[in-house]
Structures are given as C-alpha cells and as structure tokens.
Amino acid sequence: MPAAVRLGLAVALVTTLAAACGGGAEPATATFPPPAPSAGGDTGPVVEVVPTTAVLPPLDPNADPRTPLGELRARYLPVWTSDFDWAFPPEVCASAWELDAIAEPAPGADVRAMGDFATAAALAVMRYEHQFSRALAAPTPLAQLCVAVASVDPLRSENLDLLASYLEAGARRSQPATYPAEVVLVGVSEAAVVAVACVVPGYSDVVGVDGAALASAPARLQAYLLSLSRGLEDRVADTSYRVSQGSDRPAEDCSGLDAWAAEWDGHVQSWIDEGRIWATDGRVLTADGICDSPPPEGPRECPRDWPS
C-alpha cells in the first residue's frame, strides 16, 4: 500500500455508508457503497468520545432499564435482561473485553490508537465471525453484547434480530464457534477496510427445540466492510474496527477464496477509477501469524485463545 495512503489512514474523513449488501444462494454481485471523498481536507487525527444524542425507546417493550448504561443498551439490544444495567465481565464474550459493546462509526477517530491497523482489521473479521457463531451456538440474552462487541449497524441490527429469533424459538446452531484462519485485506480507505475470508463451516446445522436439524449449507466466502468505530458505553477513547456490512457466497470449500478476493479487488479498483479515496491492498493475515508474531505496537490478541 502506498505510504501516502498509510498516512492518510490517520486523518479524519467524513464517510457515509449506505445499506448493507445482500447475500444468500445467488452469486453476490452488489458492492459496498464507497465513502465519499473528503471535503474538509487534512485536519489531523481527532478522537472525540461523547454520549450519543439520539433519544430512542427500548427495542424490547418489556425493558425496564435502571441505569444510564442499561438505557443505552436497551435502545440497541432487542431482548432485555436486567444484566444490561451493569458492566459485563470479560468472560462473557471472552474476546476484546476492553471494547465497548455499543459503538457507532466514527470516521474522525485516530486509527493509530489500534496499533498495527492491518492486524486490527484482520482481528476484527475473526472476532466478528467468532462472536456471532458463538452466540448462535449458545443463544442467551447476554450474547447480544458479544454480537455488539464485533459489529455496528446496519449489520449489528440484522444479526441481533436473528439472535432474537433463535431465543424466541429455542433454537441453536449445532457447530461450535469458529473464525477464518486467514483474512485478505482487499482495500483500504481513511475510515474503512474491505476484507474477504472463507469461513468453515459456513452455515452450520440449525437445531430446533426437539433436536432436529432445520437447515444446513457448506462453506461460505464472505466479504466484510469494516468501519472505524468508537464505543459509547464510557468516555474512554475506544477506537476499533467493527464489521458494518457483509456480502457472502456459499461454496463447497475454500478453493475459491483467491478468485473471491480478485472479484472484490475489482470492486475497489472501480471505486478508485470513480475518484473515491481508496487503495488496493492484498495482504493476507493469518491467525497463526497474529498469535506467533504479534506486532510490537499491538494489538495483542490471539484468536487461538478464544473458546470454541
């Protein structure tokens, strides 16, 4: 990646990300809407952590939050539990416990707070897949916090709604939590990253209350839009990448990952041709590499330590 782009990752960029791309059985052809070019110029890194100004009612009509933290969470998490009134201990999500569960995109935040941005982006993908698959394998109201640790809207709301449907039906996925062994960074902008990975198993069996398998599918080729985000649950500067959109394609195995990466590289190149502020990347980061040779400047997190 050009040095100018690496430096540009540290400056504020006003970015608008539209609705998520669809996925499913048909080949994915939609592309993530790219950020608009910066209109403000190079203003330097900015971190501003302030409470959200949105006044939203609880999603769960039966919610009865008793603390400001509970009131905040009730606006985003569809199944209420009184546990949301209090900070949750690290073992609840067993990964990146220092990240605020409720976050929102913050393109003006300082990307350098994360240490090595490439490692942070790869970990964000792995963390997202691990937290979401773990939540669906063992659905609980508290698992909503773990889904929120790894994602922001619009994808966060979609996944929380799915988890809520599992809770209502008493269903779960039969496979344990998983994460991709490697992540390809396809393109970067000043406040976002496009990455791809292959996830196995892609869609595990869904088991109903009676133990019967409801659905199954093979591996999954996945594209992710990562948004630079900030936590809302306290005033500590919490800068991280979170998955905000996704697009997938079912696959029999991971042999098509290179072609999938090339396809998304073409999308990024088309954004560049349109004058958007993006750069192609192409680096491949593996979980083993992150664990065995963590960057000196951080982040220091090993996916092998996450529970299955």
Side-chain angles (χ1 to χ4, degrees):
M1 181 179 61
V5 175
R6 287 198 297 270
L7 291 175
L9 286 165
V11 302
L13 174 68
V14 177
T15 174
T16 302
L17 300 174
C21 300
E26 295 299 322
T29 57
T31 60
F32 302 126
S38 174
D42 187 341
T43 58
V46 176
V47 176
E48 183 183 4
V49 180
V50 295
T52 178
T53 57
V55 179
L56 303 173
L59 292 181
D60 186 338
N62 297 317
D64 183 25
R66 301 299 179 89
T67 67
L69 178 59
E71 291 175 357
L72 172 66
R73 290 172 170 172
R75 300 169 191 161
Y76 296 90
L77 306 177
V79 180
W80 172 255
T81 170
S82 59
D83 292 333
F84 292 160
D85 277 327
W86 314 107
F88 63 100
E91 57 266 25
V92 170
C93 296
S95 170
W97 59 267
E98 72 277 9
L99 299 180
D100 287 356
I102 302 301
E104 66 180 15
D110 186 355
V111 74
R112 295 173 298 182
M114 297 183 294
D116 182 85
F117 93 91
T119 301
L123 279 171
V125 169
M126 296 175 187
R127 181 183 305 117
Y128 166 79
E129 290 291 352
H130 179 262
Q131 295 290 9
F132 189 41
S133 61
R134 185 168 178 253
L136 295 183
T140 65
L142 272 179
Q144 295 172 100
L145 291 174
C146 305
V147 174
V149 159
S151 56
V152 292
D153 283 338
L155 192 59
R156 176 178 57 200
S157 292
E158 295 175 11
N159 290 344
L160 287 173
D161 286 345
L162 178 60
L163 177 57
S165 71
Y166 273 51
L167 291 170
E168 182 179 4
R172 63 177 177 83
R173 285 190 175 174
S174 63
Q175 296 292 339
T178 189
Y179 58 84
E182 64 179 36
V183 175
V184 183
L185 304 186
V186 177
V188 298
S189 76
E190 291 176 329
V193 173
V194 171
V196 298
C198 179
V199 184
V200 180
Y203 303 97
S204 54
D205 290 340
V206 178
V207 180
V209 178
D210 59 358
L214 304 179
S216 63
R220 167 169 45 96
L221 296 173
Q222 182 76 40
Y224 311 84
L225 180 65
L226 311 177
S227 297
L228 192 60
S229 303
R230 60 162 186 168
L232 299 179
E233 294 194 356
D234 57 46
R235 289 183 174 272
V236 177
D238 165 20
T239 300
S240 60
Y241 280 124
R242 316 255 180 149
V243 179
S244 61
Q245 298 185 35
S247 181
D248 64 22
R249 177 177 294 166
E252 292 299 326
D253 53 40
C254 291
S255 61
L257 180 58
D258 288 345
W260 181 244
E263 181 176 329
W264 282 92
D265 181 84
H267 295 323
V268 173
Q269 187 59 59
S270 69
W271 302 342
I272 295 170
D273 294 342
E274 294 169 0
R276 306 287 183 172
I277 304 176
W278 281 87
T280 57
D281 195 300
R283 275 174 290 183
V284 179
L285 288 90
T286 66
D288 287 343
I290 291 172
C291 293
D292 297 338
S293 301
E297 66 272 31
R300 293 187 175 275
E301 187 174 2
C302 175
R304 293 196 300 246
D305 296 336
W306 299 341
S308 60

